[in-house]
């Protein structure tokens, strides 16, 4: 499972699109393309002490951002959320990381028949308190801290599962608003909501490995949702949406269901990598995605045309886009993380085409 595996999976993606993204089709095609009789043996222990290198993390995030830029523009402001009164996000400190929990009430905040095109988390960085800086400076100066935002999914057994959403370097000595793209987190919440708020977690770490960088990062402070925090600039979640009645929603299927007699349209079809036993330890990010699929019927050509070799018209994929992924690869006894962009994984448009 190396560069050859990546190329093979790219070829596989087109097969998946044709097969309407069924989970079993995904698995069968993968094994067939790789010439394998069973799924590669990847276990939870392969994730123990496994650290995502910064260059892999940055590569994955840059691919995500490129993908979002290609999506529909012209969003309108849907709302600015400032947390739930009475719920305070905790700030936890450890030897190497500062973690800040954020809670936002999402229920009823997204207009019906609309699509969230962009969501920004705005955090206000407090002015630097030099008393928080380490007493002894290193010969290698540290100017930044790495700030990462995770979406937190609370499991029924009481545990939490996180998904990396955005990450960037923040200057330690600068104060003011810092924006993070959390569109993917809102999409996850829309898919997984159980009438509960959206939980985010902010990690503040050193910009590089080493105790001095970790100590410098601890000087970074953002305002919290705690009412006792009197600093100006509470965390904000800014939502932008498109009204689908005004901006190109006619190609998507109606929510009430799809039958074979309906007009060709794009139907929602979510693939959850965390629920598939054979992918949950292999694919690191994303935890799942909206693949969509084509469904419905098409008007058929008149009989005279069929006598000249025209086949039936079927509803099929007309346009598709790629999906960035981080996944494990095994090289001998070593387990490593790779990031790649796989084409033809998301159905963008469906159309009627002549079969064959």
């Amino acid at each position: 499972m190396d560069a050859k595996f990546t190329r093979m999976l790219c070829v596989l993606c087109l097969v998946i699109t044709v097969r309407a993204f069924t989970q079993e089709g995904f698995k069968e095609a993968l094994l067939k393309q790789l010439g394998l009789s069973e799924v590669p043996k990847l276990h939870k222990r392969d994730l123990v002490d496994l650290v995502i290198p910064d260059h892999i993390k940055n590569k994955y995030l840059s691919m995500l951002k490129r993908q979002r830029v290609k999506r529909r523009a012209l969003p309108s402001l849907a709302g600015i959320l400032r947390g739930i009164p009475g719920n305070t996000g905790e700030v936890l400190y450890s030897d190497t990381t500062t973690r800040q929990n954020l809670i936002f009430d999402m229920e009823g905040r997204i207009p019906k028949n609309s699509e969230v095109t962009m969501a920004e988390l705005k955090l206000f960085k407090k002015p630097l308190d030099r008393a928080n800086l380490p007493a002894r400076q290193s010969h290698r100066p540290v100017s930044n801290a790495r700030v990462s935002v995770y979406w937190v999914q609370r499991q029924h057994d009481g545990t939490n599962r996180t998904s990396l959403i955005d990450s960037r370097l923040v200057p330690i000595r600068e104060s003011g608003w810092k924006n993070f793209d959390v569109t993917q987190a809102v999409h996850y919440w829309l898919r997984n909501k159980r009438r509960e708020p959206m939980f985010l977690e902010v990690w503040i770490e050193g910009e590089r490995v080493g105790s001095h960088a970790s100590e410098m990062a601890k000087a970074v402070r953002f305002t919290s949702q705690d009412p006792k925090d009197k600093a100006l600039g509470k965390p904000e979640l800014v939502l932008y949406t498109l009204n689908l009645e005004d901006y190109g929603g006619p190609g998507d299927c109606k929510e009430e269901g799809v039958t074979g007699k309906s007009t060709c349209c794009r139907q929602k079809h979510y693939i959850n990598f965390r629920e598939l036993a054979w992918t949950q330890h292999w694919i690191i990010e994303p935890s799942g995605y909206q693949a969509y699929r084509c469904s419905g019927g098409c008007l058929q050509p008149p009989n005279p045309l069929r006598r000249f070799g025209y086949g039936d018209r079927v509803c099929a994929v007309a346009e598709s886009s790629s999906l960035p992924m981080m996944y494990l690869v095994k090289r001998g006894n070593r387990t490593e993380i790779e990031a790649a962009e796989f084409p033809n994984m998301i159905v963008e448009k469906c159309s009627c085409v002549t079969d064959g």
Side-chain angles (χ1 to χ4, degrees):
M1 293 175 64
D2 49 15
K4 180 182 178 182
F5 172 82
T6 304
R7 290 194 298 270
M8 296 291 281
L9 188 54
C10 286
V11 174
L12 165 70
C13 295
L14 185 58
V15 177
I16 298 170
T17 302
V18 174
R19 290 191 174 200
F21 296 87
T22 63
Q23 294 175 0
E24 279 305 309
F26 188 110
K27 182 177 179 179
E28 290 173 13
L30 175 60
L31 295 177
K32 183 177 180 180
Q33 289 289 332
L34 296 177
L36 300 175
S37 58
E38 60 181 9
V39 174
K41 298 264 191 294
L42 286 167
H43 305 282
K44 193 172 183 178
R45 64 174 175 268
D46 291 317
L47 297 172
V48 176
D49 299 326
L50 193 67
V51 177
I52 302 175
D54 280 347
H55 72 282
I56 295 294
K57 184 186 295 184
N58 291 336
K59 180 181 178 182
Y60 173 73
L61 291 168
S62 66
M63 290 188 294
L64 274 181
K65 288 175 181 176
R66 281 201 309 272
Q67 182 194 53
R68 291 168 190 162
V69 167
K70 295 176 184 176
R71 312 298 288 193
R72 284 179 277 188
L74 300 176
S76 59
L77 182 64
I80 300 177
L81 314 185
R82 293 189 173 88
I84 303 175
N87 286 277
T88 60
E90 298 175 299
V91 180
L92 308 173
Y93 299 94
S94 68
D95 291 340
T96 59
T97 310
T98 301
R99 299 188 185 185
Q100 181 173 339
N101 295 326
L102 301 173
I103 310 171
F104 294 97
D105 182 13
M106 303 286 288
E107 197 68 31
R109 302 301 183 99
I110 300 173
K112 292 183 179 180
N113 198 29
S114 67
E115 176 185 322
V116 176
T117 59
M118 186 168 62
E120 284 186 317
L121 175 65
K122 299 182 67 176
L123 299 176
F124 188 81
K125 184 181 175 300
K126 298 179 181 180
L128 178 66
D129 183 353
R130 295 189 177 277
N132 293 327
L133 292 174
R136 197 172 74 179
Q137 299 295 314
S138 171
H139 65 282
R140 292 180 63 194
V142 175
S143 303
N144 304 298
R146 176 161 292 282
V147 180
S148 303
V149 180
Y150 291 82
W151 172 66
V152 181
Q153 182 182 13
R154 301 201 166 181
Q155 306 294 299
H156 292 293
D157 60 4
T159 61
N160 291 337
R161 176 174 283 162
T162 61
S163 294
L164 176 65
I165 300 300
D166 199 2
S167 181
R168 54 174 292 199
L169 293 176
V170 171
I172 293 174
R173 290 176 171 80
E174 293 181 9
S175 63
W177 289 101
K178 308 299 177 185
N179 296 348
F180 299 86
D181 185 343
V182 293
T183 310
Q184 190 178 17
V186 176
H187 288 169
Y188 283 159
W189 180 86
L190 286 169
R191 171 65 191 174
N192 293 277
K193 66 178 181 179
R194 295 190 292 267
R195 293 190 177 278
E196 62 179 20
M198 186 173 77
F199 298 92
L200 298 176
E201 198 167 72
V202 179
W203 292 23
I204 306 171
E205 305 167 281
E207 68 171 327
R208 61 170 184 263
V209 177
S211 59
H212 180 65
S214 296
E215 288 299 316
M216 289 291 290
K218 290 180 182 179
V220 173
R221 298 280 198 275
F222 293 108
T223 54
S224 70
Q225 293 175 329
D226 191 338
K228 297 176 184 177
D229 187 346
K230 300 301 182 182
L232 297 175
K234 294 294 183 185
E236 295 180 355
L237 182 63
V238 184
L239 301 177
Y240 297 89
T241 61
L242 275 181
N243 185 329
L244 294 181
E245 292 181 356
D246 296 333
Y247 292 100
D252 289 345
C253 301
K254 302 291 185 183
E255 290 293 335
E256 51 265 27
V258 180
T259 65
K261 295 181 180 179
S262 66
T263 304
C264 178
C265 58
R266 187 180 73 156
Q267 184 183 21
K268 288 183 178 179
H269 180 65
Y270 190 83
I271 294 179
N272 192 332
F273 293 136
R274 300 289 187 257
E275 291 181 355
L276 298 176
W278 61 282
T279 60
Q280 61 181 326
H281 302 315
W282 170 56
I283 298 174
I284 306 299
E285 299 287 351
S287 62
Y289 78 105
Q290 189 65 257
Y292 296 101
R293 60 185 169 195
C294 296
S295 186
C298 299
L299 290 174
Q300 299 303 320
N303 286 331
L305 286 178
R306 296 195 185 196
R307 288 199 293 269
F308 288 98
Y310 281 82
D312 290 339
R313 297 175 76 234
V314 296
C315 184
V317 179
E319 293 181 16
S320 62
S321 61
S322 58
L323 176 71
M325 288 168 48
M326 278 198 295
Y327 54 93
L328 290 178
V329 293
K330 298 277 284 189
R331 294 190 173 94
N333 294 325
R334 292 185 299 120
T335 304
E336 298 179 0
I337 298 176
E338 295 284 351
E341 200 167 21
F342 299 107
N344 304 316
M345 292 287 279
I346 303 171
V347 176
E348 294 290 352
K349 185 179 180 181
C350 299
S351 181
C352 291
V353 298
T354 301
D355 190 12

